[in-house]
Amino acid sequence: MPGIRAVAVGVCCGAMLAAGGPGPAAHAQGGRGDGGEIPRLTDDRGRVLTLRGWNVEDKTNRGDAALSAITEKHFRDMRGKGFNFARLLVFWDDLEPRRGHYDTRYLRKIERILDWARTYDIQVLLDAHQDVFGPAFGHRGIPEWATRTDGLPFTPNPDDWFSEYFQPAVQRAFTHLYEDQDLRRAQAKMWRTLADRFSGHPAVLGYDLINEPMGELREGEDLPTAARRIERDQITPMHNRLADAVRAVDRDNWVFVEPTPIVGEGVPTGLGKIKDPKVVYAPHFYNTAMEAGADYDPSAGWIESYEAAVTAYPKEHRVPVVVGEWGPLNNALPAMGRFYRDALASLNRYSSGWAGYVWCYGGGYCAVDGAGDFRTNKEQTASPYAAAVAGAVRTDTYDPASGEYRLVYDAGRRGSRTTEVSLPPSAHGWRITVDGRAWASVRRVTAGESAVVRVRARPGALVGVRVSVNR
């Protein structure tokens, strides 16, 4: 939604932990053996996953040029900085430009991008993206043939595009998408087509059923009340319909469901239960004031209220959390260094991962500049993390002040025995120490190089991994 304006560990690991739990600058990565109520995302081998990555998009090009702004370089560079996850924006209006006609060239282009992701060992979430519904209103997403407005007015507002969601025609279009039987069937068929094509691709992790769904406000209804009603009465049934469509052709990959973007203001969602065994709750993390150009204000308590709001649903419904978008536009303002520290600490308390917005080369929201170097403060997103843990996590901490990362886990007795720790490039390199009945694939990483350290353990072993800067 960029642009919003509106609204007790055993002896073998004792020495490693004796240096203390996280200090003031460290953060525990929530749900990782801390007794938290939010379950963790897992892979098909039962390993506990952590996703760190970025959105990848081409909103400008369409038709023959669709997705042409995305290149192999995106994935090579993300992997080179230690990231393992991409949320790939795909558009229904490109996939089905005419009703009943699916563009096979577009599907091949998606497949080529997925092949690049596989080459660099990046997992991909396919996101059915919409902004302000779609091309009928000058944006991307739902095709024009599926847009019904009942003749209600629409006035573009390019200086505040998010406010366009509150135009009568846009709101009515959402109502028809949710309520009209033929549009319901068309949307479900679109997802069956995507999932059937890509269910077996090794890079695909899951499907984000619709980006930032909105709806129609009733007269006299405030925005939080409307959002909860729309989520309960319209978006929940839609998610269940689309999950069923996916499951008709794909039993294995995860289904990601979003609330309205109003959750960004600390409003708990009204979403109900999604009746699927592999659901991920995927809210976005944007602040109105910061999107309008303001600096971060720690005293406002926004991060705390957001965290309270977004953790209520996954605790109740026992589903993992992956934040699908986050990151401010004006990342170089004076307090933004503090924002990134606070935001990352919060995200890692409760989520299985996140995708920043957006991996591109330049200014604005871009993660890196034209030379591929992190833009101001965004280097904080690249830190050591346990990408996959073959066992039950007891402790998972990173201290950004010292650059030290610690992982303690009980190795599983069945399934995969290999844990993967992802390390971004460091100016000094990394030193890896392992305690317990386990062995690391490497013990040192050269300065300026990224690495995936594979730790293989005896079944049931208590394992400690410490990664420190190679001084």
Side-chain angles (χ1 to χ4, degrees), residues 237-252:
M238 177 191 64
H239 284 328
N240 276 302
R241 288 193 300 273
L242 299 182
D244 287 346
V246 167
R247 291 298 171 231
V249 293
D250 185 342
R251 307 300 302 177
D252 298 322

Side-chain angles (χ1 to χ4, degrees), residues 176-417:
H176 282 294
L177 179 67
Y178 299 144
E179 302 298 336
D180 292 7
Q181 290 294 334
D182 63 327
L183 295 184
R184 289 182 178 186
R185 289 192 294 269
Q187 189 184 24
K189 186 177 179 182
M190 179 271 294
W191 262 118
R192 282 197 302 274
T193 300
L194 275 175
D196 188 39
R197 177 64 178 261
F198 300 118
S199 61
H201 198 289
V204 173
L205 174 75
Y207 312 105
D208 194 334
L209 299 179
I210 185 170
N211 177 71
E212 296 183 351
M214 291 287 279
E216 188 168 4
L217 278 68
R218 295 172 176 168
E219 186 174 354
E221 192 175 43
D222 64 38
L223 188 54
T225 301
R228 288 192 292 268
R229 173 186 56 78
I230 292 164
E231 289 163 340
R232 180 188 67 238
D233 296 343
Q234 294 177 313
I235 297 175
T236 298
M238 177 191 64
H239 284 328
N240 276 302
R241 288 193 300 273
L242 299 182
D244 287 346
V246 167
R247 291 298 171 231
V249 293
D250 185 342
R251 307 300 302 177
D252 298 322
N253 287 312
W254 291 86
V255 169
F256 287 59
V257 299
E258 298 189 33
T260 66
I262 310 308
V263 72
E265 297 308 303
V267 178
T269 184
L271 277 180
K273 182 176 179 59
I274 311 304
K275 300 172 184 178
D276 189 273
K278 298 189 72 173
V279 172
V280 179
Y281 182 52
H284 293 180
F285 181 30
Y286 292 113
N287 172 261
T288 300
M290 290 167 61
E291 289 301 295
D295 201 355
Y296 174 55
D297 178 7
S299 68
W302 167 61
I303 288 179
E304 293 81 1
S305 65
Y306 174 86
E307 183 173 332
V310 300
T311 55
Y313 181 86
K315 287 179 180 179
E316 177 183 357
H317 294 280
R318 298 289 298 161
V319 296
V321 179
V322 173
V323 171
E325 289 186 27
W326 74 284
L329 173 61
N330 299 316
N331 54 287
L333 294 173
M336 285 300 176
R338 169 74 181 273
F339 166 73
Y340 275 92
R341 291 192 296 275
D342 291 354
L344 288 163
S346 175
L347 289 167
N348 294 332
R349 278 192 289 270
Y350 62 85
S351 81
S352 286
W354 42 258
Y357 189 86
V358 55
W359 193 270
C360 55
Y361 302 85
Y365 287 98
C366 287
V368 294
D369 62 21
D373 297 322
F374 278 119
R375 298 181 62 238
T376 306
N377 291 312
K378 295 194 176 188
E379 72 283 350
Q380 293 190 49
T381 62
S383 64
Y385 62 97
V389 178
V393 179
R394 295 195 180 198
T395 303
D396 188 359
T397 61
Y398 172 65
D399 182 349
S402 67
E404 184 165 278
Y405 172 75
R406 297 177 183 178
L407 169 69
V408 178
Y409 67 99
D410 295 302
R413 296 185 180 277
R414 297 180 180 178
S416 175
R417 298 180 187 177

Side-chain angles (χ1 to χ4, degrees), residues 28-97:
Q29 301 184 341
R32 306 165 191 235
D34 60 0
E37 299 172 296
I38 299 175
R40 297 285 304 172
L41 189 68
T42 55
D43 68 7
D44 55 6
R45 290 182 279 176
R47 298 184 300 176
V48 176
L49 297 181
T50 296
L51 305 176
R52 298 279 180 85
W54 295 85
N55 284 261
V56 177
E57 68 177 28
D58 181 0
K59 291 185 178 182
T60 302
N61 297 301
R62 60 185 71 190
D64 290 342
L67 299 175
S68 59
I70 301 172
T71 68
E72 183 174 1
K73 175 180 171 63
H74 286 68
F75 296 92
R76 181 175 65 246
D77 290 355
M78 278 195 289
R79 181 75 266 182
K81 292 190 181 295
F83 298 107
N84 69 343
F85 179 50
R87 180 175 180 258
L88 175 63
L89 278 59
V90 298
F91 299 104
W92 185 3
D93 59 292
D94 267 328
L95 176 62
E96 193 180 1

